[in-house]
Amino acid sequence: MGWEAWSYTVFLFIVGALFGSFFNVVGLRVPKGLSVVTPRSSCGSCGRQLNAIDLIPIFGWLIRKGRCHTCNASISPVYMVGELVGGLLFAALPFMVSLHELWIAYPLVSVLLILTVSDLAYMLLPNKIIYPAMLLFTGLRLFVHPLPIWQYALGFMVGGGTLILISLVATWMGKPAMGFGDIRLMALVGLVMGIKLVLLCIFLSALLGSVIGVALIASGKLDRRSPIPYGPFIAVAGLVCFCFGDPLMTWYMDLILWQ
């Protein structure tokens, strides 16, 4: 990779880290009905407004060693992680998807990061984010659609409908039902990716949720009755399917045929 490509990649990383910082703010404030512009970010313990050094993505947290320099209270590494993930994804997307799909990829990553922050913080996937995202991706898919339009519409219906069915079955069995936010998010993923890949996303998100849930229970960090935010698993599975879904399905089919 030449210096121009490296420069472009570094630029995208910086942009992604900056947006990642903003996505943290959106994910934490929108569910509480707060403005994403005012007031300025401040320390959660002493209320001091963050200065220029504190607001430097990633490095601000590292420079302060994860603590407020006024009251020395611990600052969650979640903020820094969100910025780092944003930077890495923005830089990596051009290497993972085709050029025309970047028009879909960057908005998708942005929405998924915001919803992940919100679900981890409050176990809430706000309609104020999901509904505008549905309108946005409906419009984008009218212009960028490698698949026939009907496949995206069917993906929307099957994605949400499958989780509704799972929720109804869980309720009938006396187990916790799927949240409506999760249902809407899977419908959104289906709208973006189409029928084939949303089915893969449903499978992968369930697999991720099961493996991580069992690991947390086995480690004693989670009780069997404790609720787990499912949105992050949909987000991770959705991103994997969007970038690598077709190769994954080809590999799986070849594996079956060879057996």
Side-chain angles (χ1 to χ4, degrees):
M1 191 164 63
W3 70 268
E4 290 183 352
W6 275 111
S7 300
Y8 183 62
T9 301
V10 171
F11 171 74
L12 285 176
F13 178 85
I14 294 172
V15 171
L18 289 169
F19 272 104
S21 180
F22 177 66
F23 297 154
N24 281 333
V25 173
V26 176
L28 292 172
R29 291 191 181 186
V30 168
K32 297 174 70 175
L34 302 175
S35 168
V36 299
V37 179
T38 58
R40 290 177 55 187
S41 298
S42 60
C43 172
S45 297
C46 67
R48 179 191 63 84
Q49 288 189 345
L50 304 186
N51 59 28
I53 294 178
D54 299 319
L55 294 173
I56 299 174
I58 304 171
F59 293 102
W61 189 89
L62 295 174
I63 291 170
R64 299 301 190 194
K65 298 180 180 180
R67 292 189 174 277
C68 172
H69 79 276
T70 299
C71 67
N72 204 39
S74 177
I75 300 174
S76 173
V78 169
Y79 300 99
M80 186 267 291
V81 171
E83 295 161 355
L84 179 61
V85 171
L88 291 173
L89 288 177
F90 268 55
L93 281 176
F95 300 97
M96 297 191 297
V97 302
S98 61
L99 182 61
H100 65 276
E101 281 290 88
L102 286 177
W103 291 96
I104 305 295
Y106 280 112
L108 178 63
V109 164
S110 302
V111 170
L112 293 180
L113 285 175
I114 291 170
L115 292 175
T116 295
V117 170
S118 175
D119 209 19
L120 289 174
Y122 310 114
M123 292 195 66
L124 181 66
L125 298 170
N127 293 333
K128 290 182 179 179
I129 301 297
I130 293 181
Y131 286 155
M134 287 180 177
L135 292 175
L136 171 64
F137 287 113
T138 298
L140 288 173
R141 276 306 185 202
L142 291 176
F143 295 96
V144 183
H145 52 91
L147 303 173
I149 291 293
W150 66 266
Q151 291 203 25
Y152 298 107
L154 188 58
F156 174 84
M157 292 185 288
V158 170
T162 301
L163 262 61
I164 289 175
L165 180 61
I166 292 173
S167 181
L168 291 174
V169 172
T171 301
W172 177 70
M173 296 177 64
K175 296 182 178 181
M178 187 75 64
F180 283 105
D182 300 320
I183 293 170
R184 296 185 186 102
L185 177 54
M186 190 63 80
L188 173 64
V189 170
L191 174 65
V192 173
M193 297 191 297
I195 176 64
K196 180 174 68 173
L197 292 184
V198 78
L199 292 173
L200 179 61
C201 181
I202 292 169
F203 169 75
L204 285 181
S205 63
L207 179 63
L208 281 172
S210 299
V211 170
I212 294 178
V214 169
L216 290 174
I217 292 173
S219 64
K221 296 181 179 180
L222 194 69
D223 184 81
R224 289 181 178 272
R225 297 181 180 179
S226 300
I228 302 177
Y230 193 56
F233 301 120
I234 298 176
V236 172
L239 186 59
V240 169
C241 291
F242 183 82
C243 295
F244 310 109
D246 288 326
L248 276 174
M249 295 192 73
T250 300
W251 169 81
Y252 182 69
M253 294 304 298
D254 289 343
L255 187 66
I256 293 176
L257 293 176
W258 276 100
Q259 289 182 351

